[in-house]
Amino acid sequence: ITERELNRAGLEVIFLDLPPRESEAYAWIKAIKRIVASVERESIRTRFENGKSAALASGKPAHGGRCPLGYRRNEAGYFEIVETEASAIRLIYDLYLSGMNVPSITDYLRKNNIPGYRNAKNTWGDWIVYDILKREAYYGRYAVVRNRSVKDETRANGHRPEELSKEQWVYVDVPPIVTKEEWDKAQARTKKRAQKRRYVRVYYLLSGRVSCECGYKMVGNSAKRVRKDGSSVRTRYYLCKGKSNRYALKPCDTKGI
């Protein structure tokens, strides 16, 4: 949070390490501290980028946080396959390429107690299966750089992330769990199914911006309704994710609005 944002909210910021605001030295010292902080931020950013570049040059995925399902980091920082999770990923591809749709695959995984991330049971959801079917990492190509940092003085740290085009992404090789052929077939089937549905993207102004009383976000949805005269009309509304998600941790029975 920057001083500008706090002032905009009607709050006064008092710096304990600065002289009184009414003194002549206040503005000078504050300006010097701001310059020093800016230089230090840029120095930290440069060191971070240099370390990341060195890791990428050695083929090491320079990415923090949790590994994708099916992988873990070894002591050297490289990805290695977790076989119990990888077998579930291979099963998902086999089921999908055999003709099953994503909801049916999710049901199969849950009913058969197929272990998920770190052997957790019944954590499967449609969105997880969709993500697995489209991740390039599973055929051995992991995207480690998808954004770049650009200057933005409105942000507290003076920068904001900007998404790169897919052609500019930086990849490293990781151990494959499925073959490139299997991954390509899954993408082709997904694309074919999408063309059949004739999906039209609709923008919902408040989707993800308002929350249900249960805590989940409200998302845009639509339903086709047939009138008495036989004509049809599509009604658009907002629905709680706890109701639209079949396997929500906290199921919600709130009606759509």
Side-chain angles (χ1 to χ4, degrees):
I1 300 175
T2 64
E3 182 183 7
R4 188 186 302 115
E5 291 171 328
L6 292 171
N7 291 338
R8 204 178 289 144
L11 300 173
E12 180 184 359
V13 180
I14 299 174
F15 297 94
L16 299 179
D17 58 345
L18 291 179
R21 187 182 293 270
E22 59 274 8
S23 69
E24 295 182 2
Y26 176 83
W28 286 101
I29 296 177
K30 184 180 178 184
I32 292 171
K33 283 181 173 289
R34 183 183 293 120
I35 293 171
V36 171
S38 177
V39 172
E40 180 62 22
R41 279 200 308 269
E42 202 60 40
S43 175
I44 293 172
R45 188 181 305 280
T46 301
R47 291 199 301 269
F48 173 78
E49 292 297 334
N50 289 342
K52 192 171 185 178
S53 298
L56 292 175
S58 67
K60 185 186 299 183
H63 181 273
R66 196 168 78 166
C67 292
L69 181 72
Y71 296 101
R72 66 183 168 211
R73 286 187 184 84
N74 58 24
E75 293 181 358
Y78 295 91
F79 278 16
E80 62 182 18
I81 293 176
V82 180
E83 194 52 44
T84 54
E85 298 176 7
S87 60
I89 292 168
R90 296 187 191 103
L91 175 62
I92 289 171
Y93 274 83
D94 289 343
L95 294 175
Y96 190 65
L97 295 179
S98 69
M100 288 180 68
N101 60 25
V102 169
S104 298
I105 293 173
T106 303
D107 291 339
Y108 180 91
L109 296 171
R110 295 179 73 94
K111 288 177 181 177
N112 289 277
N113 290 318
I114 305 298
Y117 192 81
R118 301 301 180 260
N119 290 321
K121 299 290 180 66
N122 288 331
T123 57
W124 297 104
D126 296 344
W127 72 97
I128 298 176
V129 176
Y130 275 121
D131 182 69
I132 288 171
L133 290 170
K134 69 182 182 182
R135 269 189 185 260
E136 294 175 289
Y138 293 128
Y139 73 83
R141 194 166 179 250
Y142 183 67
V144 289
V145 178
R146 300 187 181 190
N147 302 286
R148 66 179 175 183
S149 179
V150 296
K151 288 191 175 182
D152 186 347
E153 296 301 329
T154 64
R155 297 294 183 94
N157 63 357
H159 291 79
R160 63 175 171 81
E162 182 179 78
E163 189 174 358
L164 297 170
S165 63
K166 195 164 184 180
E167 293 73 25
Q168 296 175 295
W169 288 7
V170 178
Y171 292 88
V172 295
D173 294 332
V174 296
I177 292 176
V178 299
T179 65
K180 179 67 163 58
E181 182 182 5
E182 289 172 322
W183 189 85
D184 285 338
K185 286 181 179 179
Q187 307 320 300
R189 182 167 185 246
T190 300
K191 185 176 180 180
K192 186 176 180 180
R193 287 172 59 83
Q195 290 172 343
K196 278 185 177 181
R197 289 195 298 267
R198 297 180 183 176
Y199 177 74
V200 178
R201 193 171 193 74
V202 178
Y203 177 70
Y204 292 86
L205 179 63
L206 300 178
S207 184
R209 291 186 170 91
V210 292
S211 300
C212 176
E213 59 185 1
C214 73
Y216 278 114
K217 296 290 186 182
M218 303 286 285
V219 294
N221 209 332
S222 66
K224 189 175 181 181
R225 184 165 55 87
V226 179
R227 294 171 173 158
K228 291 181 179 180
D229 59 3
S231 62
S232 63
V233 61
R234 183 162 291 278
T235 304
R236 294 189 172 89
Y237 56 96
Y238 293 96
L239 190 66
C240 174
K241 288 187 74 173
K243 188 177 182 68
S244 61
N245 178 5
R246 297 185 301 149
Y247 298 116
L249 295 177
K250 298 182 297 180
C252 179
D253 57 0
T254 303
K255 293 183 179 180
I257 56 173

